Amino acid sequence: MKYGMFLFSLLLSNQQIFAQTGNTDVKLDLLKQPSSPAAHLLNFAPNSIEKPTDLTAVWFSFNNATGKLTQLPNSYALDLSPAVLSKSKLLSLKSLQATALKDILWQTFVISTGIKQFDDTVTKKSYYKTALGFKVTLARPAWSEATLTKFNELSVIQESITNSNITIRKEVTKDSTIKNLDRKRRDVLAQYGQQSAEYAAAQQQYISQFSIAFAKLSAEQNAELKAAIRKKAEGFAIERVGWYAELAGGFSAAFPTNSFTYSTADRSGAWLTGGYDGGFNKISFLGIARYLYQPETLFADSTGKLPTNKISTFDAGTRLLYVSGDSKLNISFESIYRSVLNKSIVNPSWRVLFSAAYSVGANQQLTFSFGRDFDGTLEKSGNLIAGLNFIVGLGGDKTVEK
Amino acid sequence: MANDPFVYDNFYKINTDDDQVTLDLIFGGLGQSVDYVLALDDVIKIDHSKISIQDYTLGKGPDLAGKTLTVSGNIQDMPATSHDITLILRIKGGATNIEQSYAGEVSPGDNIDISLAVHFYK
């Protein structure tokens, strides 16, 4: 009974701590750059953004969205990577090791566009908004030693498959059927020329039989290697260690009369993200700065009800995160600044939070947090907004979200 | 079910002047892993490369006559990629230019074999 009371009192103290911190739902991740700036400005869900990988797919997507070019789409967002669309030579996995600025810019540059129909709440009429944006990585660290090791292990198997395919090709070309078909196409080439229908038929016959024979031998001889490389590939994830920086921006325009001759500036934004990535489960530092013009809601307005017309905001934040090698100790320091630039409707406010968690057993975590909330609670009262907290969970092993 | 290999085996007419014959091998999509060996007859020119090549010089037309270029390799689908595997083969500098494109959407973790052969003739 005493133990039950103790647990109950711990639960109550836990509730009190959350009540004190208040803005626990305001996290630095809210400031992170969107995956698609233009789509973000038009409120698209990330999974509704089309990302074609070749020009045919671009045309098919556009044709589909516009009803074969007969109408404007009601809702359409498109992300285009020039490197992917142009079939750049920098697409292979090894090319992603590149750290030279020109390679990084080319590989990561993405143009995002979107068009969406909105309803005017006053006139009850529909009108269009369009948006254009971009995102690019400015600096990217090299792969970690662990990633290089995994890549090398993968490469060893891939090289074995290549060597096997060299042997298979030689075996296939020695096959009597293939040799006969090869002889036949060579004769037709000499007699009728490469542009002739006779040659096209002989060539088709040869390549068809060659492909079948090659695939059959590969299935027999490469099966084990392919099973092994599948396993290696599944466990592969790129880990980078070092400094990085990413930039994204975009703007949207509204067409209140649905005429291209009359448009108004709608929303715009710019996101700069940078920091130091220590790798998986290591120390990392993140810094974010965000500028928004006419955002949907003001980040600095906790009520979320103030009008945002012709208002610019600037928000920024930092996070220092350390996770011990055994993942038991987790320490983070997070700060967020939020402000309205051109009107004094909300005072700038800031928040800092230090938190630490240590797993002392299955589903048992000792946590500690300390900081100052946006409303200045610490400065006004001078007391801590959070304290030592011991969490005991029921059931199996689970991580506790801070 | 195994994926069809990317296979090419055809003849390429060279010019009799001193034009250089060049080769492009562009592998994709973004983040897919490739390995290949490029040989001219039995002489290995590129040994287990992991990257695409563009405007790679094979030699002057007359020097290539009667020789066979082979590219053997494979492309491995990697996680967190689109699972679209592509290959573009381009040869320029002969009587005509050739461009052969291959594309396939594979299941995660699949591997596609590559066997290309170009026989140069006058």
Side-chain angles (χ1 to χ4, degrees), chain A residues 8-228:
Chain A
F8 185 62
S9 62
L10 274 173
L11 264 174
L12 282 181
S13 66
N14 188 26
Q15 292 304 313
Q16 193 182 4
I17 288 162
F18 276 104
Q20 285 177 348
T21 53
N23 280 300
T24 49
D25 56 327
V26 180
K27 291 189 173 179
L28 190 62
D29 288 345
L30 290 173
L31 304 184
K32 268 191 170 179
Q33 69 175 45
S35 62
S36 173
H40 175 78
L41 293 171
L42 295 180
N43 292 333
F44 277 93
N47 58 3
S48 65
I49 304 163
E50 303 230 3
K51 296 175 181 175
T53 54
D54 58 57
L55 292 174
T56 308
V58 172
W59 174 246
F60 182 78
S61 165
F62 191 69
N63 215 21
N64 206 25
T66 57
K68 295 183 179 174
L69 306 178
T70 57
Q71 62 190 32
L72 280 174
N74 291 338
S75 176
Y76 182 55
L78 188 70
D79 275 10
L80 299 171
S81 162
V84 172
L85 289 179
S86 67
K87 304 296 178 196
S88 162
K89 65 174 184 176
L90 293 171
L91 298 183
S92 71
L93 181 61
K94 187 174 175 66
S95 298
L96 298 185
Q97 289 184 39
T99 52
L101 180 62
K102 67 177 176 59
D103 293 343
I104 297 171
L105 291 177
W106 183 236
Q107 284 174 341
T108 60
F109 182 62
V110 173
I111 300 166
S112 67
T113 61
I115 183 167
K116 197 174 185 180
Q117 201 171 36
F118 289 81
D119 291 325
D120 190 314
T121 51
V122 180
T123 64
K124 306 291 181 193
K125 287 184 177 176
S126 298
Y127 67 101
Y128 279 99
K129 285 184 182 180
T130 61
L132 182 66
F134 76 95
K135 64 174 188 173
V136 69
T137 298
L138 303 172
R140 184 175 70 187
W143 288 5
S144 68
E145 284 297 322
T147 298
L148 283 172
T149 302
K150 284 184 178 178
F151 177 72
N152 290 337
E153 289 170 358
L154 186 94
S155 296
V156 168
I157 304 174
Q158 244 189 317
E159 289 175 13
S160 298
I161 295 173
T162 293
N163 291 338
S164 172
N165 285 346
I166 292 171
T167 308
I168 289 171
R169 177 182 157 71
K170 286 178 180 168
E171 286 181 38
V172 170
T173 52
K174 284 177 187 168
D175 179 86
S176 59
T177 307
I178 299 295
K179 278 172 89 169
N180 286 337
L181 289 171
D182 184 39
R183 199 175 300 120
K184 183 181 169 188
R185 69 170 178 164
R186 286 173 188 271
D187 291 343
V188 172
L189 176 70
Q191 192 175 349
Y192 298 101
Q194 200 167 0
Q195 304 307 321
S196 65
E198 289 82 357
Y199 176 76
Q203 167 64 13
Q204 179 56 38
Q205 212 177 359
Y206 173 83
I207 205 73
S208 172
Q209 287 300 314
F210 184 98
S211 298
I212 292 168
F214 190 98
K216 185 170 177 284
L217 280 183
S218 173
E220 290 169 8
Q221 298 180 16
N222 291 338
E224 278 185 27
L225 287 169
K226 296 216 172 185

Side-chain angles (χ1 to χ4, degrees), chain A residues 293-321:
Chain A
Y293 176 68
Q294 293 192 164
E296 196 168 18
T297 57
L298 300 178
F299 186 51
D301 168 29
S302 51
T303 67
K305 291 177 180 171
L306 290 175
T308 63
N309 191 33
K310 293 186 178 176
I311 281 182
S312 299
T313 66
F314 176 75
D315 310 304
T318 59
R319 179 198 290 147
L320 186 67
L321 181 69

